[in-house]
Amino acid sequence: METPAAVVTPAVYGASDRPPRGDYSRGGAVLADYTCPQDWASYTPADHDTYRRLYERQVAQLPGLACDAFIKALPSLGVKDRIPRFDELNERLHRATGWEIVAVPGLIPELPFFTLLANRKFPVTDWIRKPEEFDYIVEPDVFHDLFGHVPMLFDPTFADYVQRYGQGGIKAHDLGAGEKLARLYWYTVEFGLIRQPDGLRAYGAGILSSVGELKHAVLSDEPRRLPLDLLRTMRTRYKIDTYQANYFVIDSFKQLFDLTEPDFTPLYESLEVATDIEAGVLLPGESGKA
């Protein structure tokens, strides 16, 4: 049986002048792997109303912009008018792909994150944004994690990719390459685009849970869209506080799964001597129109 950790340290990603959100003590309820019980009873009527309004607004944006796999799986989240109970959602998710969601107090360090994914456990932040943050929040909250991420975990191939990513992440951490591999997660799981027979669509949670970035990513002529290449992707910086300047496009989730099958060690060796590429920059021969 796991025992509560004496101290867990929140993660910090990107520049920030304040500590990460979330209660990382919970009276000793946060375990060494950063998971904790979802205190569903602590949500207020205002919290549930915020979730409902976010859900309704975002669903209205999906047609013609979200990928088919996401739209198909979205009803599996269950209730729309309140924050779902994780245990009820897990009954459906585990039957579908063997995954489960686990509550965490906020952002967590890379090794616990990778380890949870490798064991088909997806960490979901359990607090929700304040009403004044309705349109924008820097850190992921329960709406971003549930609405943006969880429907895609009902797709068997994508779910297998996320587990493979976690397994590779543990190795990357040991090799000191976790930051480079994090860019692959950012440009696929968070901000990935897929080309369907009927056009470009979003599958990344950061796009699907954002009312503004969904149209920007799929319809706007402004961003660069590039075919997903592992080395190019992991060399490319990203921004956390603006719409993305680069998006990487796949043709299928099987392509994504197959790309990550080989050993990444040679890739990490190449990255050690390769220079980073700033967001929005095109290299010679790239059109940005994938």
Side-chain angles (χ1 to χ4, degrees), residues 83-97:
I83 300 168
R85 294 179 183 268
F86 292 1
D87 54 352
E88 294 177 356
L89 177 51
N90 276 336
E91 292 179 6
R92 297 185 291 275
L93 181 57
H94 195 270
R95 283 198 305 268
T97 58

Side-chain angles (χ1 to χ4, degrees), residues 185-200:
Y185 186 92
W186 185 267
Y187 283 118
T188 57
V189 179
E190 290 288 359
F191 290 95
L193 296 177
I194 185 170
R195 191 169 299 284
Q196 296 184 167
D198 54 352
L200 201 64

Side-chain angles (χ1 to χ4, degrees), residues 264-275:
F264 273 27
T265 302
L267 195 61
Y268 297 144
E269 292 171 352
S270 297
L271 287 166
E272 285 183 0
V273 297
T275 57

Side-chain angles (χ1 to χ4, degrees), residues 101-154:
I101 58 174
V102 290
V104 292
L107 292 171
I108 66 176
E110 65 175 31
L111 185 57
F113 179 72
F114 292 146
T115 302
L116 288 172
L117 297 186
N119 288 282
R120 296 179 92 85
K121 296 180 179 181
F122 194 87
V124 173
T125 302
D126 65 351
W127 54 262
I128 192 163
R129 69 194 71 182
K130 302 298 183 184
E132 60 268 23
E133 301 170 308
F134 189 81
D135 290 325
Y136 177 74
I137 188 169
V138 175
E139 292 167 287
D141 69 344
V142 69
F143 176 76
H144 165 82
D145 282 343
L146 281 182
F147 185 95
H149 283 290
V150 175
M152 292 304 305
L153 293 175
F154 281 86

Side-chain angles (χ1 to χ4, degrees), residues 24-210:
Y24 287 78
S25 62
R26 300 283 181 94
V30 180
L31 302 178
D33 64 358
Y34 284 81
T35 63
C36 58
Q38 182 197 22
D39 187 7
W40 195 87
S42 69
Y43 296 128
T44 67
D47 291 335
H48 291 299
D49 187 61
T50 295
Y51 182 89
R52 177 191 61 79
R53 292 188 297 121
L54 286 166
Y55 191 106
E56 291 177 350
R57 181 178 70 172
Q58 206 59 23
V59 164
Q61 308 294 319
L62 298 180
L65 300 176
C67 71
D68 291 344
F70 182 87
I71 291 176
K72 177 183 178 182
L74 188 59
S76 296
L77 286 184
V79 295
K80 308 172 186 178
D81 59 347
R82 59 176 171 82
I83 300 168
R85 294 179 183 268
F86 292 1
D87 54 352
E88 294 177 356
L89 177 51
N90 276 336
E91 292 179 6
R92 297 185 291 275
L93 181 57
H94 195 270
R95 283 198 305 268
T97 58
W99 274 79
E100 64 178 297
I101 58 174
V102 290
V104 292
L107 292 171
I108 66 176
E110 65 175 31
L111 185 57
F113 179 72
F114 292 146
T115 302
L116 288 172
L117 297 186
N119 288 282
R120 296 179 92 85
K121 296 180 179 181
F122 194 87
V124 173
T125 302
D126 65 351
W127 54 262
I128 192 163
R129 69 194 71 182
K130 302 298 183 184
E132 60 268 23
E133 301 170 308
F134 189 81
D135 290 325
Y136 177 74
I137 188 169
V138 175
E139 292 167 287
D141 69 344
V142 69
F143 176 76
H144 165 82
D145 282 343
L146 281 182
F147 185 95
H149 283 290
V150 175
M152 292 304 305
L153 293 175
F154 281 86
D155 181 89
T157 305
F158 187 80
D160 286 346
Y161 163 70
V162 178
Q163 181 183 31
R164 174 175 283 175
Y165 177 89
Q167 293 167 337
I170 296 172
K171 181 177 181 180
H173 176 81
D174 293 340
L175 295 173
E179 179 184 354
K180 301 295 186 183
L181 190 65
R183 294 175 181 175
L184 179 62
Y185 186 92
W186 185 267
Y187 283 118
T188 57
V189 179
E190 290 288 359
F191 290 95
L193 296 177
I194 185 170
R195 191 169 299 284
Q196 296 184 167
D198 54 352
L200 201 64
R201 299 291 187 269
Y203 71 89
I207 305 173
L208 292 164
S209 62
S210 168

